[in-house]
Amino acid sequence: MSVRLEGVLPIVPTPFSADGTVDLGGLRRLTEHAISAGAAALVYPGVASEDVQLSAEERRTSLEIVVETAAGRLPVLAGVNAAEPETMVELARSVTKSGVDGAMAMAIPAMGDDSEAWFHRIAEALDGGIIVLQNLFAPRGADLSAEEMLSLARAVPSIRYVKEEGVPSGPKVSQLVAGCGADLDGVIGGGGARYLYEELVRGAMATMPALELLELHVALMNAWQAGDRDRALDLYERTLPLLLVQAPYRMRLTKLILREKGLCATADVREALPEPDETLERLILQFHARAMSALETVHA
């Protein structure tokens, strides 16, 4: 359990071919892009990968592609989220065969009052890999309090990080950071990095966003770690118009941008999401270009 997670840890999306199948070539390109753009670790599959829309075989094959492409250059965490905790345990057992460094596991409503017992089982199935405890609001997540998450980390040694995705995230991030120490190594921001600057101010050490702004998020985190708060805030402000649109459109926005960059063949999704019209598509690309142009400027 020596994996250090700090910086930008993107969720790799699942690209689909025109016939609806997983585009494995596109997945290789996206993984290579994430590595070359400065990711500190990769996560697959996560919510932004449309994890619950993938079959068990698709999850297995796709994860193997991500691990194979990463080739040990950086840590890979496997998402093991599902609607039922029994399935999460099975997934945790299966991903160990792929050579991952650990897993991201969400506390889900179906665990009820037995979250500790279920996470012990997930940890046992991972056979030594670390766990990032993902906390999401209902109905998909259990929306744990900070104290409940810290209690879980104390009880389950494999839980080394928490990814907090509540809205608002800030107060919980502060409470979790205050509880870091022997039982918890750090706090990771989520929510598409919409609240990233506040999370950094409160002590988060990493962020786990989607892939469309990766280069900018890496530059933002580098500026923060170098103590250049003004530059970090400038870059954060550039992301907000795009991330406001991303909130409802989610993977459709991500894949539209990645398709325009030539990294995947389609912008197709399996999730039931609103579809942007041509006017909004043009605005999305405009917002993205404007955000990324901040990388061309040198902070005075």
Side-chain angles (χ1 to χ4, degrees):
M1 293 190 290
S2 60
V3 177
R4 177 75 173 172
L5 300 178
E6 189 170 7
V8 185
L9 326 171
I11 307 290
V12 181
T14 306
F16 298 114
S17 301
D19 63 3
T21 59
V22 176
D23 176 7
L24 297 179
L27 185 58
R28 288 189 182 91
R29 287 193 296 276
L30 291 171
T31 303
E32 192 61 53
H33 164 69
I35 296 168
S36 63
L42 302 176
V43 184
Y44 185 88
V47 173
S49 316
E50 302 177 77
D51 52 359
V52 297
Q53 303 296 330
L54 302 174
S55 69
E57 178 61 21
E58 287 174 328
R59 288 178 77 134
R60 183 190 65 77
T61 303
S62 298
L63 178 60
E64 288 177 355
I65 291 292
V66 173
V67 173
E68 176 187 296
T69 306
R73 288 177 284 175
L74 73 180
V76 177
L77 302 177
V80 298
N81 295 331
E84 297 297 332
E86 295 92 342
T87 306
M88 293 177 66
V89 174
E90 293 169 6
L91 287 168
R93 187 172 295 111
S94 68
V95 301
T96 60
K97 302 172 185 176
S98 301
V100 297
D101 298 278
M104 181 167 68
M106 187 185 299
I108 58 173
M111 290 177 177
D113 295 328
D114 297 324
S115 294
E116 183 179 320
W118 282 114
F119 273 91
H120 272 299
R121 290 183 60 184
I122 291 169
E124 182 180 357
L126 285 171
D127 193 26
I130 68 164
I131 295 175
V132 174
L133 169 61
Q134 184 178 16
N135 187 50
L136 187 64
F137 45 81
R140 183 165 179 187
D143 195 15
L144 301 179
S145 68
E147 183 48 48
E148 287 172 323
M149 288 182 272
L150 291 170
S151 177
L152 263 180
R154 286 191 293 269
V156 184
S158 294
I159 297 175
R160 302 311 311 169
Y161 297 87
V162 169
K163 181 188 181 187
E164 173 54 42
E165 303 213 71
V167 178
S169 63
K172 282 186 182 179
V173 168
S174 287
Q175 293 166 32
L176 289 164
V177 168
C180 286
D183 300 317
L184 190 67
D185 292 334
V187 180
I188 300 167
R194 277 181 287 280
Y195 308 103
L196 175 56
Y197 193 84
E198 179 190 357
E199 290 164 351
L200 291 173
V201 169
R202 291 177 180 271
M205 62 192 300
T207 185
M208 199 181 287
L211 209 59
E212 69 275 355
L213 286 168
L214 178 56
E215 297 96 331
L216 190 150
H217 282 141
V218 169
L220 191 164
M221 291 294 287
N222 288 342
W224 178 268
Q225 291 165 357
D228 192 344
R229 303 298 189 252
D230 288 341
R231 176 63 170 164
L233 182 55
D234 287 344
L235 292 171
Y236 172 67
E237 289 173 342
R238 290 292 191 110
T239 72
L240 293 180
L242 188 71
L243 293 182
L244 285 174
V245 179
Q246 194 240 34
Y249 290 92
R250 299 169 62 207
M251 304 87 172
R252 286 195 186 278
L253 177 146
T254 297
K255 290 184 177 181
L256 170 65
I257 292 167
L258 296 175
R259 185 191 68 189
E260 290 299 306
K261 294 177 73 169
L263 293 168
C264 54
T266 77
D268 295 348
V269 301
R270 292 181 182 173
E271 289 276 352
L273 294 169
E275 188 168 357
D277 61 14
E278 291 183 4
T279 298
L280 184 55
E281 285 190 356
R282 288 195 296 270
L283 282 173
I284 288 169
L285 297 177
Q286 178 184 340
F287 291 161
H288 182 260
R290 182 172 174 79
M292 299 302 284
S293 70
L295 299 180
E296 301 168 6
T297 64
V298 178
H299 184 60

